[in-house]
Amino acid sequence: MSVGKDDSCPSVDPTTAENYPPHWEADVIASDGGTVHVRPIVPEDADQLVLMHGRCSERTRYLRFFGPYPRIPQRDLTRFVTVDFHDRVAFVVFLGADLIAVGRYDRYPHTDEAEVAFLVEDRHQGRGLGPMLLEHLAAAARENGIKAFVAEVLAENGRMVRTFIDAGYSPQRAYEDGVVRLDFPIAPTDSSVGVAYAREQRAEARSLERLLTARSVALIGASNDRHKLGYSILRHLLDGDLAGPIYPVHPTSPHVAGVPAYASVLDIPHDVDLAILAVPADQVGEVVEECGRKQVRGLVVISGGFSEHDEDGRTKQQALVESARAYGMRVVGPNCLGVMNTAADVRLNASISPNVPSPGRVGFFCQSGALGVAILADAKARGLGMSTFVSAGNRADVSGNDLLQYWATDDRTDVILLLLESFGNPRKFARLSRGIGREKPIIAVKSGRNSGAKADLAPHAVIMSDAVVQALFESSGVVRVETLEQGFDLAFLLAHQPFPTSNRIAVVGNSSALGVLVIDACHDRGLRVAAGYPVDIGPVGSVEVFEEAVRNALEDKDVDAVVAVFVPPVVTDEAPYAEALGRLSLSVDKPIVTTFQGLSGVPAGLRRVGDRGEVMRGSVPSYPTPERAVLALARAVTYYRWRTSPIGVLPQFDDNDREAARAVVQKILREQPDGRALSPQECRDVLGAYQIAPNRKDPGDDGVPIAVGLVDDPSFGLLARFSLSGLASELFDDVAYRALPLTDTDIEALVRTPRAFPLLRGYRGALPVDLESIYELIGRLSVLAEDIPQIRSLILDPVIATSAEIMVMRASIIVGPSRLVHVPGPRKLAPA
């Protein structure tokens, strides 16, 4: 059991230790979804280390120390907790006030190798703490110039041997006298990074699963006053028929809404999976502490008055998250609408909204609580079925990235819909969406479409036009839409119909006027009406004629999708026509969209409903206008093209000198921590380390001037930029951007995106330029950006491209503190 506030160990400020590296501290999600805190060890941890050692079984101590080792001698204890954070490093893992694991490395004298070892308390083994400690130790070791780890493990300790192998390394093994010696380099490899990301995905998904599949819920701040949130939320929990007990918490009332209540969460006699907090902000801290002592698994904080309010609220919010994570709890909110899960075996409505959508295949995330109630009401009215819904509010802990990790492997979610106002960690968002988007469509409604954004250190970075954001989303596998209505329209299609494999459209209906509108909309959206269409059955065409015409279109090998338009005559019942489309939707693997005049969403006649009320695939989406139907179809075509395009590979160059470039940047930031522009010689040193040499002489011919660079955007982080050089490109905003890192296919797409690209292919008889050299240049810049996240702006303009080579004529670089929250290396949650 976690140690409570009153009986915790004395407070320790580790940063007072000499040379203590605070940037090594992190909140981390264990493999079971709970959170722990990891930091470097300090002498004040001695007592807690002794307590942990005493809680370990004799078997665990034997495997770690090669003998029974019943207690730690004082001499060893002093050595264990006294490190120099360079040649000797140790990390400790805390859950609440309890030290539950420790890992360390000791450098072999005068070498770049170190011995590594771990000890994890028995009851916390199997939570992934060993691999997590290995990641953190390896990152610290690399920072200190160590290149390889050595581990000596008893041959019978198969779990520890497996820890090193499963981390993605390829250790060399030697066996002598019952001991296995493992030697392995700790430089990141594709395998080790992939393993770390996979562990991260499983852990983050599990932490959200604990929240969203809660079987027992406590509502703290429950009320009998019908005008208060505490009453509404309890009513919604009860009306939702939660598949488990509900515990109202009220300081004085024995019952709330007829349900037995408790004065404190600590008084509840049973386990609590999820606590919903609807108390004033100044009471939240105490309540979180009580939830931690109760071992609640997760929190949904409806209460406002935090970072959205003032600086004092921001301080309270940070304390809230730090306290929750210390006890292993994730937090949704504060200042949020809540969460929902429509699964038949969960039925959770932990929110302030009475509108629960039907069970379905769409996972929906939004930040705004104010808009959430109206959004859910609209979704329910239109029949958009959802698997889960999360309103994150201030996103103090749980973010859209966490939900992406959860939905990536949730078999009830086929489509992900995001209503975004900002990005907490744009680099991670881009990485996640690139992978997830290949399996599940991600639709994003991004507010602030027409606002510019200018990075404080990057004068070139006024880039957040609508077209740029659209390109960035598409390169990351995200379908960006302009309004929530368009997001719903596309979600209806992608959740219920097959993907259109190309852009050939058949139009079938009983209204020539609507048919013309479809043709015009297809032309505007880049779709092609197939030969022989539209087919008009006339206003009095029978159900049989209508069904036959649609069937013929679906079976036509030159058709990829069907738009069915129908205006019900006054004397005709439209229901049989809708049922005909529903039957046909199940017969072939091509999408159908329809306009049944006046019907929106998935109306009853077009809907397939499962045994548990869920809206199923094969349902046919209906749109109020042909234009909206065609727009959704066009976006689905674009998504499918991206999904089936080659993934590409990340560029690699063996001749880069990363350490030389890092040395230049680190020296600058030691002298000026806020950063500055590099001198011409410093630019040459950094670029030269990546085999990019600025040219000091006139090129001597008439090549095409281009501009290549890296620009820092406050929303997306560092971006690759490409255009032709000159005023024309700036005047017409003919500039392409892509989120990093770039694959070879990303680089080629970046170069080919500007409208002026034909000038590089040999326009009006000119020689085509050497595109491969341009691709290589951008590839090297992409690697540079990944290696040195302190780069805030890098502009090469002009670069003269000829048929034989490229020449960099001018370069400028600005460096500053890295904005990256997550870089390849040890797992960590965003700072509270």
Side-chain angles (χ1 to χ4, degrees):
M1 180 157 88
S2 297
V3 177
K5 185 174 184 178
D6 295 334
D7 53 355
S8 61
C9 64
S11 174
V12 172
D13 181 5
T15 61
T16 59
E18 185 177 1
N19 299 323
Y20 182 87
H23 65 286
W24 288 355
E25 289 196 32
D27 292 319
V28 178
I29 305 176
S31 61
D32 63 354
T35 59
V36 295
H37 184 71
V38 59
R39 63 165 170 80
I41 202 168
V42 293
E44 290 84 352
D45 293 323
D47 290 345
Q48 279 292 316
L49 186 61
V50 170
L51 289 174
M52 185 200 77
H53 185 271
R55 293 192 299 268
C56 288
S57 67
E58 183 177 330
R59 173 69 175 171
T60 292
R61 293 195 299 266
Y62 167 75
L63 291 176
R64 165 63 180 88
F65 297 106
F66 294 20
Y69 207 64
R71 54 190 161 279
I72 306 177
Q74 185 59 46
R75 178 179 176 181
D76 286 356
L77 181 62
T78 300
R79 181 170 60 87
F80 287 161
V81 299
T82 305
V83 297
D84 61 8
F85 308 113
H86 190 271
D87 293 338
R88 300 185 66 248
V89 169
F91 284 94
V92 285
V93 180
F94 276 88
L95 177 60
D98 294 341
L99 194 161
I100 61 173
V102 60
R104 64 188 311 107
Y105 78 69
D106 290 88
R107 187 197 296 259
Y108 293 124
H110 313 298
T111 73
D112 57 9
E113 293 186 335
E115 184 175 2
V116 64
F118 308 97
L119 179 64
V120 179
E121 186 179 332
D122 293 63
R123 61 178 176 162
H124 294 286
Q125 292 176 7
R127 301 185 65 198
L129 301 184
M132 177 273 292
L133 282 168
L134 179 59
E135 289 177 21
H136 285 255
L137 286 167
R142 290 193 295 267
E143 189 174 314
N144 290 325
I146 292 173
K147 296 182 179 179
F149 275 167
V150 175
E152 293 190 347
V153 182
L154 287 174
E156 59 193 282
N157 193 357
R159 171 179 282 183
M160 185 56 65
V161 173
R162 177 56 55 187
T163 294
F164 296 106
I165 296 173
D166 289 348
Y169 298 109
S170 300
Q172 294 183 344
R173 282 179 273 188
Y175 179 83
E176 184 176 353
D177 296 331
V179 175
V180 178
R181 177 186 168 102
L182 305 170
D183 297 79
F184 54 94
I186 58 174
T189 64
D190 289 345
S191 176
S192 65
V193 171
V195 166
Y197 283 158
R199 281 199 300 267
E200 173 192 71
Q201 191 279 324
R202 290 193 298 270
E204 292 183 0
R206 177 62 179 146
S207 74
L208 267 292
E209 183 183 19
R210 286 157 53 114
L211 279 165
L212 294 172
T213 61
R215 295 300 198 278
S216 57
V217 176
L219 172 58
I220 305 171
S223 175
N224 281 308
D225 186 340
R226 293 175 179 269
H227 298 95
K228 291 187 175 180
L229 282 179
Y231 178 87
S232 298
I233 297 169
L234 180 58
R235 191 73 263 159
H236 300 157
L237 283 167
L238 295 170
D239 292 345
D241 191 25
L242 179 74
I246 299 169
Y247 304 113
V249 175
H250 189 284
T252 60
S253 178
H255 293 84
V256 179
V259 181
Y262 300 86
S264 163
V265 69
L266 293 171
D267 296 329
I268 299 172
H270 306 290
D271 292 340
V272 175
D273 291 337
L274 178 67
I276 308 167
L277 278 59
V279 298
D282 58 3
Q283 297 178 23
V284 166
E286 180 181 354
V287 170
V288 170
E289 186 71 27
E290 291 177 346
C291 288
R293 293 165 61 189
K294 179 62 180 174
Q295 298 187 25
V296 173
R297 288 182 151 194
L299 306 176
V300 173
V301 183
I302 306 292
S303 311
F306 292 91
S307 64
E308 83 285 357
H309 190 258
D310 55 23
E311 193 58 37
D312 179 62
R314 185 179 299 277
T315 301
K316 290 178 181 176
Q317 179 171 299
Q318 181 175 353
L320 151 67
V321 175
E322 289 176 351
S323 179
R325 288 180 177 173
Y327 282 107
M329 300 181 291
R330 298 299 307 270
V331 180
V332 176
N335 187 39
C336 72
L337 182 145
V339 303
M340 295 179 179
N341 187 340
T342 64
D345 59 347
V346 179
R347 304 187 301 276
L348 173 67
N349 180 8
S351 80
I352 64 176
S353 172
N355 298 296
V356 180
S358 302
R361 312 301 300 176
V362 177
F364 189 14
F365 170 86
C366 77
Q367 293 172 220
S368 172
L371 292 175
V373 175
I375 289 169
L376 289 168
D378 187 27
K380 183 177 181 180
R382 298 178 61 187
L384 179 63
M386 293 186 186
S387 60
T388 39
F389 167 85
V390 175
S391 161
N394 294 357
R395 293 179 305 148
D397 180 26
V398 170
S399 68
N401 287 341
D402 291 300
L403 268 298
L404 286 178
Q405 297 277 46
Y406 172 73
W407 284 322
T409 53
D410 177 36
D411 59 10
R412 293 183 61 244
T413 302
D414 291 337
V415 177
I416 297 168
L417 178 58
L418 309 173
L419 177 56
L420 300 174
E421 298 166 17
S422 61
F423 293 90
N425 188 339
R427 293 287 292 268
K428 185 173 180 179
F429 176 83
R431 171 174 63 84
L432 293 179
S433 58
R434 285 183 179 191
I436 297 169
R438 294 277 173 176
E439 303 295 329
K440 299 183 179 184
I442 302 172
I443 305 167
V445 187
K446 176 66 172 68
S447 61
R449 299 188 289 119
N450 298 312
S451 61
K454 184 173 181 178
D456 54 344
L457 284 178
H460 307 81
V462 186
I463 62 172
M464 295 305 291
S465 70
D466 186 46
V468 170
V469 176
Q470 179 77 6
L472 288 167
F473 272 132
E474 288 177 353
S475 70
S476 299
V478 178
V479 184
R480 198 272 180 109
V481 296
E482 298 172 3
T483 66
L484 186 60
E485 180 181 79
Q486 293 178 4
F488 281 174
D489 286 349
L490 183 56
F492 279 123
L493 173 57
L494 296 178
H496 303 123
Q497 289 288 305
F499 299 123
T501 57
S502 191
N503 67 342
R504 300 169 300 177
I505 309 302
V507 186
V508 178
N510 69 343
S511 167
S512 59
L514 287 182
V516 170
L517 292 178
V518 173
I519 294 172
D520 290 343
C522 286
H523 177 77
D524 293 341
R525 298 296 177 180
L527 303 179
R528 182 164 61 88
V529 177
Y533 297 93
V535 171
D536 183 3
I537 67 168
V540 295
S542 67
V543 173
E544 292 76 15
V545 172
F546 178 70
E547 185 169 0
E548 181 68 18
V550 175
R551 179 183 292 107
N552 290 339
L554 289 169
E555 294 175 352
D556 189 335
K557 62 182 179 58
D558 295 321
V559 168
D560 302 301
V562 174
V563 179
V565 292
F566 186 83
V567 179
V570 175
V571 296
T572 301
D573 179 10
E574 71 270 15
Y577 294 83
E579 292 167 1
L581 286 181
R583 289 192 298 272
L584 291 169
S585 178
L586 300 176
S587 64
V588 293
D589 194 26
K590 293 180 182 178
I592 303 173
V593 297
T594 185
T595 294
F596 263 60
Q597 197 78 348
L599 298 180
S600 178
V602 185
L606 299 172
R607 185 184 307 173
R608 292 187 64 236
V609 179
D611 296 338
R612 298 178 178 180
E614 67 273 23
V615 183
M616 299 177 62
R617 291 195 68 84
S619 299
V620 180
S622 179
Y623 300 91
T625 67
E627 291 83 358
R628 282 173 56 178
V630 170
L631 177 57
L633 199 54
R635 285 185 166 134
V637 169
T638 300
Y639 165 72
Y640 183 78
R641 285 175 175 166
W642 177 87
R643 175 178 170 132
T644 55
S645 64
I647 295 176
V649 295
L650 294 171
Q652 295 182 345
F653 303 96
D654 295 333
D655 53 358
N656 289 342
D657 190 346
R658 176 174 58 185
E659 297 308 318
R662 278 182 173 172
V664 175
V665 173
Q666 290 170 353
K667 180 176 183 296
I668 292 170
L669 293 178
R670 282 195 300 269
E671 297 168 352
Q672 293 183 246
D674 292 336
R676 64 168 171 83
L678 273 61
S679 69
Q681 184 57 53
E682 290 167 337
C683 285
R684 284 191 288 272
D685 291 342
V686 170
L687 294 173
Y690 285 78
Q691 308 304 313
I692 302 169
N695 200 309
R696 299 189 183 186
K697 61 179 178 27
D698 190 305
D701 60 39
D702 297 326
V704 180
I706 60 175
V708 181
L710 306 169
V711 293
D712 187 30
D713 177 76
S715 292
F716 281 92
L718 207 61
L719 306 171
R721 176 190 189 278
F722 178 80
S723 70
L724 272 71
S725 182
L727 291 176
S729 292
E730 296 178 17
L731 179 63
F732 296 107
D733 195 26
D734 192 20
V735 182
Y737 299 91
R738 284 293 186 275
L740 298 173
L742 300 175
T743 66
D744 54 352
T745 56
D746 294 327
I747 293 170
E748 184 172 348
L750 174 69
V751 173
R752 293 173 179 270
T753 294
R755 295 185 298 277
F757 172 73
L759 293 175
L760 302 178
R761 294 293 301 272
Y763 188 68
R764 291 187 175 179
L767 289 175
V769 307
D770 181 6
L771 288 175
E772 293 301 323
S773 293
I774 297 176
Y775 299 157
E776 180 182 336
L777 173 63
I778 296 173
R780 289 184 181 274
L781 291 182
S782 176
V783 174
L784 171 61
E786 292 296 296
D787 288 347
I788 307 180
Q790 295 84 6
I791 297 288
R792 299 287 291 278
S793 172
L794 190 160
I795 302 297
L796 308 180
D797 184 9
V799 176
I800 305 301
T802 72
S803 59
E805 61 179 339
I806 59 171
M807 291 163 283
V808 178
M809 306 307 299
R810 187 166 57 244
S812 64
I813 301 176
I814 298 173
V815 298
S818 171
R819 290 186 178 184
L820 295 187
V821 178
H822 182 95
V823 296
R827 282 173 285 166
K828 56 180 67 177
L829 287 166

